[in-house]
Each structure stands twice: as structure tokens, then as C-alpha cells.
């Protein structure tokens, strides 16, 4: 993405696709019902390390001033998936466009997992 001042050129501003992916990941996690963003194929390495890599679960394709965003996420059991996905798409699109100035052409959401909330008995057994 390049932005220039109308009166004089001050320089070029480029926004990395990694920055866009982190913004998109944070915006997706703000939605009620989204439990976790999955990393996709490489998720096992993060599971073994016990780390959460924000932005690694988001694929961003940048073309000039346009972006296509793919999100891999998990949702909470009992939540209406189409409503959660629609809310994620709207929030990610609005947040990325506001913060970066890019036009988001599409936000593709791939629901990879459903999490069941733990009961108090299960939590007591773990501790």
C-alpha cells in the first residue's frame, strides 16, 4: 500500500501483510463466541510449545490497496455459527479498513473446531 501527500511527496508508506494479519486476529477475537484462532496446518508446533501466535492463523493477500483475509478459528459450542462468522467478517473488515486504509475485498472464515465449555467438575479434576 502506498500513500502520498497531494501537495508534495513525503515518502512511501507500506503496511506489511503480517501487521494486517495481527490486526485481523485481534478484531476476530473481540467477537463473542470465538474461542480460539487456529494456526491451520502448522498448529501442532505451537501446541507443543504452548504458545499462541497471534496473526499466524490469518492469511492475508495484498494487491495494491486491496486485501483478502482468510481466518481459521474455533467457536464455542451452542453459539449460532453463521451469526458469529458474520460478526467476525464485519468486525475484521471495519477494523482493518479503519486502521490501514486498505480496502478489504473479502474475509473468508474457516471454522475448524468447536469447543465445549468445561464444567466445574472437569476443572476441579485438572487442578
Amino acid at each position: 500500500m502506498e500513500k502520498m501527500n497531494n501537495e508534495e511527496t513525503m515518502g512511501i508508506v507500506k503496511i506489511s501483510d503480517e501487521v494486517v494479519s495481527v490486526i485481523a486476529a485481534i478484531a476476530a477475537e473481540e467477537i463473542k463466541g470465538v474461542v480460539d484462532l487456529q494456526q491451520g496446518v502448522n498448529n501442532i508446533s505451537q501446541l507443543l510449545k504452548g504458545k499462541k501466535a497471534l496473526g499466524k492463523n490469518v492469511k492475508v493477500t495484498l494487491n495494491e490497496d486491496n486485501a483478502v483475509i482468510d481466518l481459521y478459528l474455533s467457536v464455542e459450542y451452542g453459539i449460532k455459527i453463521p451469526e458469529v462468522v458474520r460478526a467476525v467478517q464485519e468486525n475484521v473488515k471495519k477494523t482493518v479498513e479503519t486502521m490501514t486504509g486498505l480496502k478489504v475485498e473479502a474475509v473468508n472464515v474457516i471454522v475448524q473446531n468447536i469447543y465445549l465449555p468445561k464444567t466445574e467438575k472437569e476443572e476441579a479434576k485438572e487442578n
Side-chain angles (χ1 to χ4, degrees):
M1 179 180 127
E2 296 182 20
K3 290 273 184 184
M4 290 188 242
N5 190 340
N6 290 340
E7 295 179 18
E8 64 181 66
T9 303
M10 295 182 68
I12 297 173
V13 176
K14 293 187 178 192
I15 299 175
S16 166
D17 58 342
E18 292 175 10
V19 171
V20 175
S21 68
V22 170
I23 293 169
I26 292 169
E29 287 187 332
E30 291 175 350
I31 303 301
K32 183 178 189 261
V34 175
V35 177
D36 190 20
L37 286 158
Q38 300 295 313
Q39 194 175 350
V41 180
N42 298 327
N43 195 19
I44 203 104
S45 65
Q46 290 299 324
L47 285 174
L48 293 174
K49 292 178 183 176
K51 294 182 180 177
K52 186 175 181 180
L54 213 59
K56 298 292 185 188
N57 38 15
V58 181
K59 180 184 174 206
V60 176
T61 306
L62 295 176
N63 298 322
E64 294 180 21
D65 288 345
N66 299 322
V68 175
I69 302 169
D70 298 326
L71 291 161
Y72 300 86
L73 54 86
S74 297
V75 295
E76 186 178 315
Y77 177 77
I79 301 290
K80 294 181 181 179
I81 295 173
E83 291 176 9
V84 171
V85 168
R86 193 172 305 109
V88 166
Q89 289 173 321
E90 290 171 2
N91 196 41
V92 168
K93 180 177 176 18
K94 178 185 72 162
T95 303
V96 170
E97 287 181 346
T98 301
M99 292 183 74
T100 65
L102 291 169
K103 181 184 181 305
V104 177
E105 290 181 9
V107 178
N108 304 314
V109 178
I110 299 93
V111 178
Q112 289 190 323
N113 208 349
I114 295 177
Y115 281 110
L116 293 171
K118 292 183 179 181
T119 63
E120 290 180 21
K121 290 179 183 178
E122 289 175 343
E123 288 178 3
K125 286 181 183 177
E126 289 181 1
N127 294 332

